[in-house]
Amino acid sequence: MTRANAVAMPKILARNVSKIYPTIDGETVAVKDFSLEVADGEFVCIVGPSGCGKSTFLRMVAGLDDISAGSIRVSPGDEPGKPSNSVVFQEYAIFPWKTVIDNVAFGLEMRGVSRTKRLEVARYWLDRVGLAKFAGYYPHQISGGMKQRVSIIRALANDPEVLLMDEPLGALDAQTRVVLQEELLRIWEETRKTVVYITHSLDEAVLLGDRVILMSAQPGQHLATFNIDLPRPRSIETINGPRFAEYRAMIWEKLSHEVRRAMEQQQ
Amino acid sequence: MSELPHSAAQDAGLTVNSAAVRDADRRAILLLFGGIVVFNLALFAVGLWRPLAWLAIVASFVTLVLVCERIGRMVSPRARSAYERSLAFGFPLAVLALWQIAGDTGMINTTWFPQPSKIAAGLWDMIVRYDRLSGTSLLGRPWLIPEAFSQNGLAGVWALLSESHVLATVSRVLIGFILGAVPGILLGVVMGVNQTVRLMLDTTISAVYVLPKIAIFPIVMLIFADPFGEGPKILVVALAVFILMTINTMAGVRGIDKVYLMAGRNYGANGWQMMRHVIVPGAMPVIFAGLRIALGTAMIVIISVEFLRAKQGVGFITFYYWEVLNPEKMYAGLVVVMLLGIMLTYLLQWLQRRMMPWHR
């Protein structure tokens, strides 16, 4: 089960990463000694109880948060000028003041790609998720599920080395969520991007990930790694298989203990 | 299939019910309307209407609201917008009509509270009159423009326009507004983004904010070579707008959801792109709310300044007619101020629609 290529040439290499917030009552350790290697083209899910610092870790990988100790490296690809990472935020974070298509083309615009070129790319992605009709709409005119689609293809249109997703489907209702999981699987099979995916949902983690990393309650530490050996391409039917249930039960056994500990901590 | 009779019966029940409500409403309207007329007439007959005027007015208003609410319930959805419009414009018109009647019948002192018809006549007189002594008129006699143009060209038109009170006020407000708003927004953005600048200036801005700008007018006059010219007047307006816009823009910038800033940074926006694509549009709703308030403040300041020290302007003419004991025209001046306020607000709303197409 060792991933030879992951050891040889990891796309993301995080070594002993810690995050410490200074507060009035002293220091709060959000992430402690967390190490992670992600191979090129791998889909890694990070699961953990609320407030375990998984989002903080993702923001550190994205360069949006300072690292207190340790190091994170995202290897550049062969193409120069390609952005190293793009984040899909839980709260969509698509700009209300830009039309859908301008939102999708945002990353390209910031990199100085010409208008015709970037709109062409944006239109291609809008087509792929069935939003071509809504190109000229403003975000307040479309539904939550559509907004999150826009947010996801904004990241894909940017064509980053790695895709960082921070509970992207967390704010959606159960049905929309399933539809988007399926769409995500389909797109990922075609693009094979390197993905780090934060989620609360075990089902989602097992369904999407090649590997599921379990983080402990605060301070967030590496607890366990599960290799998900389910065949690709997967679809929503994968959930009904017996192996899926096995994986889920195995992870839940460890996770439930942590969730309880996290709840006790909060009290 | 079995549900059909059931729902039909329900519908029928509903219709009967709403028809009953309608009848009750109709009766209530007649009763309330008749009641309040009788009440007022009775007070009148026994000579108690005047001493109890406030009671009568409040009771009439409350009854009118109750009647209109019942009418509103009976209005069909198609006629709904017409009903709402007639309520919005009908009530002020009704108040004006009552004012007129009260003045005509001598119930209020028309020397100090002239009725609308007199104010309108005063306004008309102000529009057509040219004051030879001061060389001014209210609008600048626009009907003479073609003649002036054929005689003296653009210079002639300019001479006509520069005699206008309205244009004098409008140009002071607009120039002061722009001179105050642009730097105000710029400083507000800087203070919103940079904590050091914010900490250094916030206290001072808050202190100057509460200062009545008219109170520093005498000092502002000293700054200029010509203390009685346009400079000081424009500067106080600009100062008032500047402070307001700084505070509002700062609040707008600080209120931007952090996730947008993170998204901007993550997608590679540099400093300037961040401003143009994230911070300025993100703060725009609050900036426009601020501009609206600043416009009102600008009008207040300029009218006060013109009351105090001016030879031209709507504020000047209003105060002038008060001094020469001509209340009709003083009221007419106030009407002009209100009309200007409405026009400038519409202008701002138009600008807002142009600049914030995403706003619903």
Side-chain angles (χ1 to χ4, degrees):
Chain A
M1 277 287 190
T2 49
R3 293 179 167 267
N5 57 343
V7 175
M9 176 61 179
K11 194 76 197 165
I12 302 173
L13 178 60
R15 275 217 186 106
N16 306 95
V17 175
S18 295
K19 176 74 190 177
I20 299 160
Y21 289 105
T23 60
I24 296 171
D25 308 326
E27 288 178 337
T28 306
V29 182
V31 180
K32 193 175 167 189
D33 255 349
F34 189 78
S35 296
L36 178 69
E37 283 179 19
V38 183
D40 197 4
E42 196 184 11
F43 199 124
V44 172
C45 294
I46 301 180
V47 185
S50 297
C52 73
K54 47 194 194 301
S55 291
T56 309
F57 174 71
L58 195 84
R59 281 205 297 275
M60 288 193 286
V61 177
L64 293 170
D65 238 336
D66 299 331
I67 304 165
S68 305
S71 68
I72 299 176
R73 214 177 87 88
V74 178
S75 331
D78 308 330
E79 280 177 62
K82 220 168 152 183
S84 107
N85 71 78
S86 292
V87 180
V88 178
F89 297 90
Q90 179 181 8
E91 315 87 335
Y92 320 136
I94 56 174
F95 304 115
W97 47 87
K98 287 182 178 288
T99 55
V100 163
I101 193 162
D102 280 340
N103 262 297
V104 177
F106 181 71
L108 299 171
E109 187 178 1
M110 293 305 102
R111 274 190 280 140
V113 175
S114 75
R115 187 169 172 81
T116 33
K117 186 79 214 305
R118 65 175 188 256
L119 290 188
E120 188 187 315
V121 174
R123 222 166 265 125
Y124 164 79
W125 282 104
L126 284 170
D127 251 342
R128 285 191 65 171
V129 295
L131 286 179
K133 291 210 293 227
F134 298 97
Y137 282 50
Y138 284 103
H140 75 85
Q141 296 168 306
I142 59 177
S143 70
M146 288 172 168
K147 280 183 206 164
Q148 195 51 286
R149 277 192 190 94
V150 172
S151 170
I152 291 168
I153 61 172
R154 172 174 72 177
L156 288 164
N158 204 23
D159 195 21
E161 293 291 337
V162 297
L163 201 58
L164 304 173
M165 308 182 90
D166 187 6
E167 290 181 50
L169 311 183
L172 301 175
D173 64 273
Q175 290 155 17
T176 313
R177 206 177 161 134
V178 170
V179 173
L180 256 78
Q181 282 168 355
E182 189 130 58
E183 232 160 79
L184 216 54
L185 272 175
R186 184 169 55 81
I187 291 173
W188 185 79
E189 301 287 357
E190 290 163 24
T191 58
R192 291 277 170 170
K193 281 251 170 260
T194 312
V195 181
V196 177
Y197 192 104
I198 306 279
T199 179
H200 265 119
S201 155
L202 270 189
D203 280 6
E204 200 165 283
V206 176
L207 174 66
L208 298 172
D210 293 321
R211 226 169 2 133
V212 176
I213 313 281
L214 206 57
M215 255 177 125
S216 70
Q218 199 192 10
Q221 273 171 301
H222 179 268
L223 202 65
T225 301
F226 301 88
N227 289 312
I228 309 297
D229 240 346
L230 295 170
R232 303 255 183 199
R234 299 179 193 163
S235 75
I236 224 64
E237 273 76 50
T238 311
I239 289 185
N240 304 325
R243 306 253 324 268
F244 186 94
E246 256 170 57
Y247 278 124
R248 191 178 43 189
M250 202 159 72
I251 301 171
W252 177 242
E253 202 192 303
K254 282 226 160 190
L255 179 62
S256 60
H257 177 70
E258 278 309 305
V259 172
R260 230 163 273 136
R261 204 162 72 81
M263 284 167 86
E264 277 160 23
Q265 262 180 13
Q266 278 158 16
Q267 287 159 11
Chain B
M1 265 300 162
S2 66
E3 273 176 26
L4 202 62
H6 173 65
S7 72
Q10 247 184 356
D11 277 355
L14 213 70
T15 333
V16 168
N17 198 10
S18 70
V21 168
R22 243 160 203 273
D23 275 354
D25 273 352
R26 238 177 239 133
R27 267 196 304 278
I29 289 171
L30 282 177
L31 210 68
L32 285 166
F33 197 75
I36 200 63
V37 170
V38 170
F39 174 69
N40 276 299
L41 286 178
L43 278 182
F44 227 73
V46 292
L48 279 177
W49 200 90
R50 284 210 74 149
L52 293 179
W54 287 113
L55 178 70
I57 288 169
V58 170
S60 303
F61 180 73
V62 170
T63 315
L64 190 65
V65 170
L66 293 174
V67 168
C68 287
E69 277 187 340
R70 275 164 184 77
I71 293 173
R73 256 186 265 162
M74 298 203 294
V75 167
S76 70
R78 233 177 327 134
R80 186 79 208 167
S81 70
Y83 162 76
E84 282 171 3
R85 236 175 302 137
S86 55
L87 215 55
F89 292 102
F91 182 73
L93 283 178
V95 171
L96 286 180
L98 280 176
W99 183 0
Q100 179 74 37
I101 293 165
D104 288 346
T105 54
M107 283 176 57
I108 52 175
N109 184 346
T110 51
T111 315
W112 303 116
F113 304 104
Q115 54 272 58
S117 63
K118 277 203 189 162
I119 295 172
L123 184 59
W124 177 250
D125 191 52
M126 279 165 83
I127 289 170
V128 295
R129 178 185 297 270
Y130 171 68
D131 190 75
R132 230 167 263 286
L133 196 69
S134 62
T136 57
S137 65
L138 187 64
L139 300 177
R141 294 179 295 170
W143 55 91
L144 293 181
I145 285 176
E147 197 183 315
F149 184 72
S150 62
Q151 276 172 10
N152 296 320
L154 283 177
V157 177
W158 177 249
L160 263 182
L161 292 183
S162 56
E163 73 182 36
S164 161
H165 290 296
V166 167
L167 276 182
T169 299
V170 167
S171 55
R172 282 169 193 155
V173 165
L174 284 185
I175 295 171
F177 193 75
I178 291 166
L179 285 183
V182 172
I185 291 171
L186 289 178
L187 181 62
V189 168
V190 172
M191 284 175 72
V193 174
N194 187 304
Q195 200 206 8
T196 310
V197 178
R198 181 166 65 242
L199 289 173
M200 282 163 67
L201 295 185
D202 204 10
T203 322
T204 314
I205 298 276
S206 307
V208 180
Y209 168 62
V210 294
L211 209 61
K213 300 309 164 294
I214 194 77
I216 49 175
F217 185 59
I219 299 166
V220 173
M221 285 171 72
L222 291 179
I223 299 173
F224 287 84
D226 175 14
F228 303 104
E230 294 298 306
K233 299 182 182 69
I234 290 171
L235 185 64
V236 271
V237 172
L239 208 59
V241 172
F242 171 77
I243 298 286
L244 257 170
M245 286 321 295
T246 305
I247 292 172
N248 266 287
T249 308
M250 182 176 67
V253 170
R254 298 197 69 196
I256 298 173
D257 197 334
K258 270 183 87 176
V259 81
Y260 295 129
L261 303 178
M262 285 203 284
R265 256 179 75 192
N266 186 243
Y267 285 82
N270 59 30
W272 168 245
Q273 287 171 322
M274 202 71 181
M275 278 293 160
R276 192 172 115 58
H277 293 278
V278 183
I279 291 170
V280 170
M284 202 91 98
V286 185
I287 291 177
F288 266 99
L291 285 174
R292 181 106 186 247
I293 298 169
L295 187 65
T297 308
M299 284 303 285
I300 292 171
V301 169
I302 198 62
I303 298 299
S304 328
V305 166
E306 286 173 354
F307 265 31
L308 206 66
R309 185 137 334 275
K311 290 275 161 277
Q312 206 181 353
V314 180
F316 159 75
I317 199 82
T318 306
F319 200 68
Y320 168 79
Y321 281 120
W322 160 248
E323 284 182 318
V324 300
L325 292 186
N326 193 338
E328 287 101 31
K329 289 189 178 168
M330 185 203 75
Y331 278 96
L334 296 181
V335 170
V336 172
V337 173
M338 289 190 275
L339 290 176
L340 282 180
I342 293 172
M343 267 161 45
L344 291 174
T345 303
Y346 274 134
L347 191 70
L348 205 58
Q349 282 171 346
W350 172 82
L351 193 70
Q352 182 169 13
R353 276 197 299 276
R354 285 290 305 272
M355 291 187 66
M356 297 174 52
W358 67 87
H359 223 238
R360 54 207 98 175

